[in-house]
Amino acid sequence: MDFSLPPPHCSFLCAPLRILVYCVCISALKPCPNSPNELLEKIKDDYVVNNYLWTGDIYLSAFEPKCRFTDPTLSFVGRDKFVSNVQNLRPIVDSLTEADGCRSDLLDISLNEDENYVQSRWRMIGELTTLPWKPKIDVIGRTKFWYRRASGDDINGGVQVYFYDEEWEIPAGKALLQLVTPAGTISNGSDLD
């Protein structure tokens, strides 16, 4: 079943349809992961199967409705806000890249049950081929997905992420410079090439 939304640039007549589709998506959420190990597997699939660093396609039920999302450039609260942000960015990303020009490489993933987080180390690579200077995004980072037992009437007693904490291995400014320089000009600072 595909719950993708109409493009946000569609006319104002599509707005009610987008809202209706979004409400159906949220109400059709799958159960949250039953255990920390299942959470790790859902997060792993987000990278390996869904290419989520580029698509924003995450297993939504793994995140609390008021989850805090933080990376080196911004911070916000709310699963709905995450969906809204992705909805606004996705058409831009799609217009700047080829279908196979972006990938999310999962370099490592581990579970720390003593402190209640899943940690991933990843590499986000994307060639922005539609721009004349052909920039390439190449960032290595780590994300900690802090989780706790889910609560609420509609929850199955599993676990959900309450804090998404992302860090990059290069300064944010250097990573953002990759957008305005030709590919290969700004290194990601790793020896993975």
Side-chain angles (χ1 to χ4, degrees):
M1 184 177 291
D2 181 14
F3 291 122
S4 58
L5 300 174
H9 59 273
C10 139
S11 75
F12 72 94
L13 296 174
C14 288
L17 176 60
R18 288 178 44 220
I19 291 168
L20 175 64
V21 169
Y22 176 73
C23 290
V24 168
C25 291
I26 293 300
S27 67
L29 284 178
K30 297 174 183 160
C32 64
N34 287 317
S35 68
N37 284 316
E38 186 178 342
L39 174 64
L40 181 143
E41 291 302 318
K42 297 298 184 190
I43 292 170
K44 184 177 181 180
D45 284 350
D46 287 344
Y47 287 99
V48 176
V49 176
N50 300 333
N51 193 21
Y52 100 90
L53 291 172
W54 288 101
T55 66
D57 186 6
I58 61 172
Y59 190 81
L60 283 175
S61 298
F63 295 83
E64 290 183 355
K66 298 207 182 287
C67 180
R68 172 171 293 283
F69 293 84
T70 301
D71 74 24
T73 61
L74 60 94
S75 183
F76 60 89
V77 174
R79 186 173 63 197
D80 292 351
K81 184 70 172 170
F82 176 86
V83 171
S84 173
N85 288 348
V86 168
Q87 181 182 347
N88 290 331
L89 286 174
R90 185 75 189 265
I92 296 167
V93 170
D94 289 348
S95 71
L96 295 176
T97 61
E98 303 286 327
D100 60 349
C102 304
R103 69 180 199 265
S104 305
D105 294 343
L106 182 60
L107 304 175
D108 186 42
I109 190 164
S110 61
L111 173 62
N112 183 325
E113 289 190 85
D114 292 334
E115 296 187 39
N116 292 345
Y117 65 81
V118 172
Q119 180 169 292
S120 62
R121 183 167 183 255
W122 45 265
R123 184 175 187 184
M124 178 181 191
I125 301 172
E127 298 175 11
L128 309 183
T129 56
T130 63
L131 295 173
W133 59 95
K134 309 278 189 243
K136 180 179 180 181
I137 304 301
D138 188 351
V139 175
I140 295 174
R142 297 176 192 274
T143 305
K144 283 187 180 177
F145 300 84
W146 295 88
Y147 66 85
R148 60 185 164 206
R149 284 277 159 212
S151 61
D153 296 335
D154 59 338
I155 302 298
N156 65 355
V159 297
Q160 286 184 304
V161 175
Y162 68 91
F163 182 38
Y164 171 104
D165 186 20
E166 179 179 304
E167 297 177 352
W168 301 343
E169 294 183 9
I170 61 173
K174 191 173 178 182
L176 295 174
L177 276 175
Q178 292 179 350
L179 290 169
V180 295
T181 57
T185 307
I186 307 291
S187 168
N188 70 10
S190 80
D191 57 359
L192 294 176
D193 289 326

